[in-house]
Structures are given as structure tokens and as C-alpha cells.
Amino acid sequence: MSSNKDEKDQYYYVPIPGSYILIRWILGIIAIGAAAYISIVFLVEMRSLFLKLSYKPISEEVALEKAIPMKTVLPTTLYVMSGSDQKEIDVRPGTNLKILGASMKLLNLRVDVSSDIYHQYYDLSPKVFTPTQVFLVELENGVRGNAILPEAIIGRRIVIKSGEEAGDTLVVKGVKKIKSEDKFPYTYTVEDRKNSYNWGEFNVLAEEGQIVVYNNPFGGIPEEYQHKKAHIPSFMKIPVHEQNGFFLFPRFKIWNMYLLKPFFRSLLMLIIVWLIVLVIALWRNHSHDFNAKYKYKNACLADTSLDNDQAQAKFLRIYWPRYYPYAFILGCVYTPLIWILTSGNHRRLMGELKEDLSKRCPKCHHMTLEHGYTGNETEKQFVRHVHHSGYTNSDTNYKRSAFSNDVKVTTKTTHVSAEDYDLYVYKAERYFKCNECGFYETYWVTLNSYENHRGGNVSGGTTETTWVKV
């Protein structure tokens, strides 16, 4: 029999193999390091989840094939991005140019430079036209830049909102700027009607099919500073949806991110997803631990052909391959919390093994070993007199009224008297006894005795209840 006895209670047990401890430490360090790296990658990739589901990356060549030629009707300013040393160029009416796409500083951020609505979670789709919507355009000389094109509405369909014409669908054929205090001082003429309409008197129907969108989160930021601007570690590649480039919107006909409220496009959704996956991961980790432990532990301990250390070794050889590879991969892929939980599972496992082996007879190996006192004791030896001063406990509970916002505050005060007793130490004889083979063994344990106990009782108290208006 190669089992040991616990120094405190003398129960039989098997020491944890040193190789298992070393392997666990090595795997734990690797898992935590890998999890830290993968968690960063996961966060960065999940950050643009809704962008991935709404925008399809395309090459510049494909975008140019879809460019829309037009002639300006109103004067505008081109904010140069490439092709000229000038920062701004005045574009006169009648200028030929090509619209390369709707301009977005970030794919989740509509750029209307003359609008007072400019928010990180601005919820207008790039397909929703406003007179100050910004477009990426290219002049005939190859100069590219951003420009506001109120005349981009020409050729699009509108629906009259009120009056006798309410519900009529018309096609815009012209736009003029007027003197007005309105936010958008424009008037619009339509095909087959003499009437003109101001902005706000109609709704613009969204364009059918996909449109080209140009993402420009970095502007003129040099490449070496773009990782810092994007809040992404330098060792990672910036996701394509967070780079400058052309995209098709929407990616899918039936869904895009603008069908969600801006609130649900925020980091909150990532946190919710993270928590959901965490719960699933923790549940699966616990399930694998439970199945590996209770499916094989009892069977190994019930095998009487094995002594204690052999039974434990056999179980661990079965348990580790069925639990630790899964826990290690899960810990690496997801979060260090998995490995922390795994360490807790291991401690509980070895504690349960130690307790089970203390009930296993070291002679016949049946789970029939009993423990108890024989009744033999040594003479008690006085150690010291112990005194504890009296004290007061105070406990406060708060309960909101069912009929109002008032809160019931209950404070209970308890006084405990001083306490005295004599401390003695002695030894008592205990035994191991197997009901299967008759194995019997005794041993002595050291115990404490508390005699001549006085005081330590509740000597009084008060309960006070008040109502606090909230």
C-alpha cells in the first residue's frame, strides 16, 4: 500500500502527482497568454460586426464601373482628397463630374457637413438623401474630393406628404436654391407638374438596389498613425471595414444595420454577445468536467484490483484527456476566466478524490472504511484562560413600500456580554475499521476542550423602525 496519511486528520489519501501540477501550470500560462491575444482579436473583429453584415468591400475598379456621371446645377465646393495641391475648389454650375459614391467618414457615421446633426451613431442610411449629403466625386481632370450635391435628387422619386396631392409619387426634374430661413432652402420641380415643392413637403424614396459607398475614416492621416487612430494594436491588421475604401450597400437585400436603432449598434451589443458566449462557455466547461468526473471516478475507485494510488492514477489518466484539452482550447479561444474556473475544478476534484480515498480500505480496497472514536482519551492539559470583551452588533435592513416609494429602515441592535472560558488540550483515540475484510487500525488526534464557560450571551437589544421618503 503506497497511500499516505493526512498530517491533520490521518485519513488515507494519494498525493497529487508532481507532473500533473507542472503540466497544469504550463498549460495555464499558455492559455492565459493566448486568451489575452485572442480576446483582443475577437473584440476588434466583433467591433465591426454590423458593418460586415451591411457593407460588402469592393475594389476601386468595380466602384469606378458603377460611377454616375452628372452635370452640376448649383455651385458647390469640392474638398480635395487627391489630384490637386489645393484644399478646396469652387465648382460652378454646369460642371461635368462623376459621383463615385456616398461619402462616409466611418461606415456607421453619415457625413453631412452642413447639417447640425452629426453624431457617432447617426442613424441615416447612405441611401437616405438629404440636401447636405456628402458625395465622393471626380472631376474631368481627375481631381477627387467630397462635395455637397443638392441636385443629386434629380431623377429620384418623391411622395407628397399632405394636401390634395398626398400620396402622389413624382420624379424630381430640377432644384433651385431660394432665400429662406428653412434648414434646407431649396425648391424642387417635378415631371408632369407645374407645382414646385419645398423640402419637408415630401419624402424621398430610397434608391432600389445597391449603391457605392466610400469609407474615409483616416482622411489624410499618415499610415504609421492609422493603428493609433483606429485603437488597434500595431501587431494586428486593421479590419477592412475600418479602412479607407469602397463598399456596396446594403450587402443583403432584406437586412442592414440601419434597421437597428443606434443604441443596439453600440458597444453594448458586443458586451451582450460577450456575456452570452461566456455563459455558454462556462456551462460547457462545467458539463465536460462533470461528465468526465462522475462517469469514471466511481468506476475506478470501485475496482478492488487496484490499490489507492493505482485507482487515482487510472482515473486521472481517463479524466485529463476528456476534460483538459477542451478546457485549454476554450480558455485560449475565449477568456482567461475559463482557465481560472478550470483551476477551481481541479482543486475540487482532488479534494473529492482525497475524501473518497479516505473511505477506501487500504487492504481490500472496498469503499467500506469507517472512522470513529474509540473512547480512549488522555488527561486534559490546561493551556490558558481566554477572555473576550462584550460587544454590540448593529444590523440595518431596507424595504420599499408596496404602495409608495417610501423605504422602511429597520435597525436591530444586539448587545453581547463578555465571555470567559478555560482552554484545555488533550488527545483522543480514533480508529479505521473495514466492514468488508476486518481491517482495524487506531491513531491519536489532538483536540481542544473549552471548560468553565461564562458569559457570551445576548444581554439585550433594541429594534428601531423609521420611514424614509425617496
Side-chain angles (χ1 to χ4, degrees), residues 307-361:
D307 60 25
N308 286 5
D309 58 345
Q310 291 172 338
Q312 175 175 275
K314 180 179 179 180
F315 166 66
L316 291 178
R317 285 196 302 269
I318 297 174
Y319 174 83
W320 271 62
R322 285 167 174 78
Y323 173 68
Y324 271 91
Y326 173 81
F328 175 72
I329 293 172
L330 193 61
C332 288
V333 171
Y334 190 60
T335 167
L337 289 176
I338 299 295
W339 198 252
I340 294 173
L341 177 68
T342 297
S343 297
N345 289 339
H346 182 267
R347 286 192 297 270
R348 285 192 298 273
L349 170 67
M350 299 314 296
E352 292 173 8
L353 269 177
K354 182 177 179 180
E355 182 180 353
D356 289 339
L357 289 171
S358 72
K359 302 173 184 177
R360 198 171 190 263
C361 178

Side-chain angles (χ1 to χ4, degrees), residues 153-420:
I153 194 176
I154 294 176
R156 296 185 64 168
R157 295 180 302 155
I158 62 175
V159 178
I160 307 302
K161 293 168 63 175
S162 59
E164 295 181 357
E165 299 176 319
D168 288 355
T169 300
L170 308 171
V171 178
V172 178
K173 70 174 184 179
V175 56
K176 293 181 181 180
K177 191 169 185 178
I178 59 176
K179 291 183 179 181
S180 171
E181 297 297 325
D182 293 343
K183 182 177 180 179
F184 299 127
Y186 300 97
T187 184
Y188 302 86
T189 56
V190 298
E191 295 179 358
D192 303 323
R193 294 282 176 93
K194 294 182 178 180
N195 295 354
S196 61
Y197 304 89
N198 294 336
W199 186 266
E201 296 178 345
F202 55 84
N203 292 320
V204 183
L205 295 179
E207 293 185 74
E208 296 180 357
Q210 295 176 312
I211 65 169
V212 176
V213 176
Y214 182 71
N215 189 33
N216 184 33
F218 297 129
I221 298 175
E223 187 174 345
E224 59 267 27
Y225 298 112
Q226 290 180 5
H227 275 80
K228 185 176 181 180
K229 174 70 175 178
H231 305 292
I232 294 175
S234 58
F235 57 80
M236 287 183 58
K237 183 180 179 180
I238 299 175
V240 65
H241 290 81
E242 298 185 27
Q243 299 179 28
N244 296 343
F246 289 95
F247 299 82
L248 283 181
F249 173 86
R251 186 166 198 156
F252 305 107
K253 292 182 179 180
I254 61 174
W255 189 91
N256 65 77
M257 62 189 290
Y258 297 94
L259 298 178
L260 296 174
K261 293 295 183 183
F263 175 78
F264 292 105
R265 286 183 250 142
S266 67
L267 186 62
L268 175 66
M269 281 303 298
L270 298 184
I271 295 174
I272 292 173
V273 172
W274 188 87
L275 290 175
I276 292 173
V277 178
L278 173 62
V279 170
I280 295 173
L282 294 178
W283 170 69
R284 291 304 302 156
N285 180 274
H286 174 74
S287 177
H288 273 253
D289 172 65
F290 182 87
N291 291 336
K293 184 185 299 180
Y294 292 100
K295 205 170 183 180
Y296 302 102
K297 180 164 69 75
N298 292 339
C300 291
L301 295 182
D303 187 351
T304 58
S305 66
L306 305 173
D307 60 25
N308 286 5
D309 58 345
Q310 291 172 338
Q312 175 175 275
K314 180 179 179 180
F315 166 66
L316 291 178
R317 285 196 302 269
I318 297 174
Y319 174 83
W320 271 62
R322 285 167 174 78
Y323 173 68
Y324 271 91
Y326 173 81
F328 175 72
I329 293 172
L330 193 61
C332 288
V333 171
Y334 190 60
T335 167
L337 289 176
I338 299 295
W339 198 252
I340 294 173
L341 177 68
T342 297
S343 297
N345 289 339
H346 182 267
R347 286 192 297 270
R348 285 192 298 273
L349 170 67
M350 299 314 296
E352 292 173 8
L353 269 177
K354 182 177 179 180
E355 182 180 353
D356 289 339
L357 289 171
S358 72
K359 302 173 184 177
R360 198 171 190 263
C361 178
K363 184 178 179 181
C364 69
H365 309 137
H366 284 87
M367 301 291 290
T368 53
L369 195 64
E370 295 182 355
H371 312 267
Y373 288 98
T374 65
N376 297 328
E377 297 179 354
T378 62
E379 184 178 348
K380 296 177 181 178
Q381 301 293 323
F382 177 77
V383 178
R384 65 180 181 274
H385 178 75
V386 180
H387 173 78
H388 295 298
S389 301
Y391 61 92
T392 298
N393 274 336
S394 183
D395 183 32
T396 303
N397 292 315
Y398 302 88
K399 184 176 181 180
R400 186 179 294 275
S401 172
F403 307 102
S404 68
N405 288 329
D406 296 348
V407 176
K408 181 181 180 181
V409 183
T410 303
T411 302
K412 184 178 181 180
T413 303
T414 305
H415 304 292
V416 180
S417 64
E419 182 180 23
D420 293 273

Side-chain angles (χ1 to χ4, degrees), residues 38-53:
I38 295 175
S39 294
I40 294 174
V41 175
F42 174 82
L43 176 62
V44 171
E45 291 299 325
M46 284 295 293
R47 189 170 67 188
S48 58
L49 172 64
F50 294 115
L51 303 179
K52 294 179 176 70
L53 297 175

